[in-house]
Amino acid sequence: FRFKDSLAEELQRADLVISHAGAGSCLETLEKGKPLIVVINDKLMDNHQLELAKQLHRDGCVLYCNCSTLVETLQSMDLSALKPFPPGQPEKFASFLDKVLGLQ
Amino acid sequence: TGGHTTEILRLLSCLSESYSPRHYVLADSDKMSEAKIRSFEQKRAETFSESQFSLDRIPRSREVRQSWMSSVVTTLYSVLYSLPLTYKRKPDLILCNGPGTCVPVCLSAFLLGLLRIKRTIIVYVESICRVETLSLSGKILYYFSDYFIVQWPDLKKKYPKSVYLGRIV
C-alpha cells in the first residue's frame, strides 16, 4: 500500500521495523516495544530529522545505518542489545503548569 | 499539523478541567488535525461532561523552505489576521509546540499584552524531535514566551532560560 491513516495494526504484528528517520515513525515503533532499524538518507544529511534518530541510537534504543549498509546491519544485528524506550511523562508537564499558574 | 498535533494532544492529556474551555487554532491548509482533535475531545467529554472546546483556522504563515523575506510578509499578514481572533478569545494561556501557525497567534497575544488589553501567559514546548537545535518557531518564541520548555538536556544548556522537564510527550 502507499498511504494509510494508521500503521498501528501492522506495527502490532511486526517483529522488526525498518524505517526512515521520521520522528513519528520512530516514536510510534519504539512505544510499541518493537525493535527498530533506522535507515538514514545520505542525501538529506543536514535534515534536522536526524537529531532524534541519532539520539535514540546514542541511547541504545535503535540500530542505525544507511541504504548501502542495510544488508550488513541485518546480517550482524543483535536485537537483544537494544534498550527499551521509556514513555514520555506528560504528567510532569501538567504539574509544572499547575504550579506556575498557581492552580495547585 | 501532523506530528505537532499528536504531541500537543499528549501534552493536554494530563491537564485538569481548570484548563477549559480549550480553543484550538489550526492552519487553513491542515486537513488531518481536526479529526485528531475532535477524537481527543470526545474521549475527554466521557470523563469531564462539562468539557468545552472550539476550533478556529488561520492562514498558514509560512510554507516549508519559503524565503526569509516573503516569510516576514506572510507572517505579518497572519499576525494581523490573528489579532481579531486573539482579541475575541482573550486567552489566559496559550500553549503551543512549534508549527509555523503558532508564531502569529503568540505574537498577536504579545501585542495585546503590550497594549494592556489582555495579558496572556505564553507557554512554548519545543518538539521532541529537537534534540540539538531549535526550530525556527522556537528561535523566535524563545524571546516572546513566558515559559519555554525543551525536552532534551543539550537544548537546556544552549538556551539557559528554558525549562527542562525531561521527555513529556
Side-chain angles (χ1 to χ4, degrees):
Chain A
F1 52 80
R2 290 236 51 189
F3 289 110
K4 249 181 149 186
D5 275 338
S6 163
L7 287 171
E9 262 183 56
E10 278 73 12
L11 266 183
Q12 204 53 48
R13 286 181 282 170
D15 296 306
L16 170 67
V17 176
I18 301 171
S19 166
H20 75 142
S25 310
C26 292
L27 293 175
E28 232 187 298
T29 306
L30 289 173
E31 282 164 2
K32 286 218 152 51
K34 303 292 177 179
L36 172 63
I37 300 178
V38 176
V39 184
I40 310 294
N41 182 342
D42 296 32
K43 299 185 192 71
L44 293 174
M45 281 309 276
D46 42 290
N47 186 337
H48 78 264
Q49 266 197 354
L50 288 184
E51 286 182 27
L52 183 60
K54 275 192 343 207
Q55 182 63 43
L56 293 171
H57 173 70
R58 257 179 255 145
D59 290 341
C61 297
V62 305
L63 289 176
Y64 196 73
C65 67
N66 54 38
C67 297
S68 45
T69 53
L70 178 58
V71 175
E72 177 192 318
T73 305
L74 285 170
Q75 287 168 334
S76 63
M77 67 188 182
D78 174 14
L79 297 178
S80 62
L82 287 178
K83 302 210 182 96
F85 179 72
Q89 296 174 284
E91 60 272 16
K92 284 201 177 149
F93 173 68
S95 285
F96 170 78
L97 260 194
D98 284 347
K99 194 168 66 183
V100 301
L101 296 176
L103 288 174
Q104 274 179 340
Chain B
T1 51
H4 289 290
T5 304
T6 304
E7 279 200 50
I8 207 150
L9 291 177
R10 290 190 184 191
L11 286 172
L12 295 180
S13 63
C14 294
L15 296 182
S16 72
E17 265 310 280
S18 303
Y19 298 86
S20 197
R22 286 171 293 283
H23 303 291
Y24 294 89
V25 181
L26 286 73
D28 51 11
S29 50
D30 186 341
K31 311 231 191 293
M32 298 192 341
S33 297
E34 179 160 353
K36 288 187 189 164
I37 292 168
R38 290 196 184 279
S39 157
F40 169 84
E41 286 290 339
Q42 202 167 30
K43 230 179 257 151
R44 197 176 168 96
E46 285 164 22
T47 318
F48 304 105
S49 53
E50 300 292 299
S51 210
Q52 282 182 301
F53 76 102
S54 73
L55 278 157
D56 287 301
R57 287 186 180 271
I58 59 172
R60 194 173 166 141
S61 48
R62 181 179 175 264
E63 298 301 325
V64 182
R65 297 195 210 291
Q66 187 180 328
S67 81
W68 191 88
M69 200 61 232
S70 75
S71 297
V72 175
V73 176
T74 54
T75 301
L76 224 58
Y77 173 69
S78 297
V79 174
L80 290 173
Y81 192 97
S82 306
L83 269 170
L85 173 62
T86 313
Y87 180 79
K88 174 171 118 184
R89 300 284 184 212
K90 293 205 183 66
D92 300 307
L93 170 72
I94 289 182
L95 181 58
C96 56
N97 70 337
T101 324
C102 69
V103 176
V105 175
C106 291
L107 290 181
S108 67
F110 187 79
L111 212 61
L112 291 179
L114 287 179
L115 297 171
R116 299 264 187 273
I117 293 174
K118 170 73 187 180
R119 172 76 172 92
T120 302
I121 296 179
I122 300 173
V123 175
Y124 182 94
V125 181
E126 185 61 286
S127 167
I128 192 165
C129 306
R130 292 301 188 156
V131 181
E132 292 161 26
T133 63
L134 285 190
S135 62
L136 181 56
S137 303
K139 286 181 189 158
I140 297 169
L141 291 174
Y142 181 65
Y143 300 100
F144 293 96
S145 55
D146 294 282
Y147 299 98
F148 189 91
I149 301 173
V150 296
Q151 303 194 52
W152 297 96
D154 249 359
L155 287 177
K156 170 67 184 168
K157 279 194 218 121
K158 291 183 185 154
Y159 298 93
K161 285 194 282 185
S162 66
V163 174
Y164 173 65
L165 301 168
R167 273 193 289 120
I168 50 178
V169 298

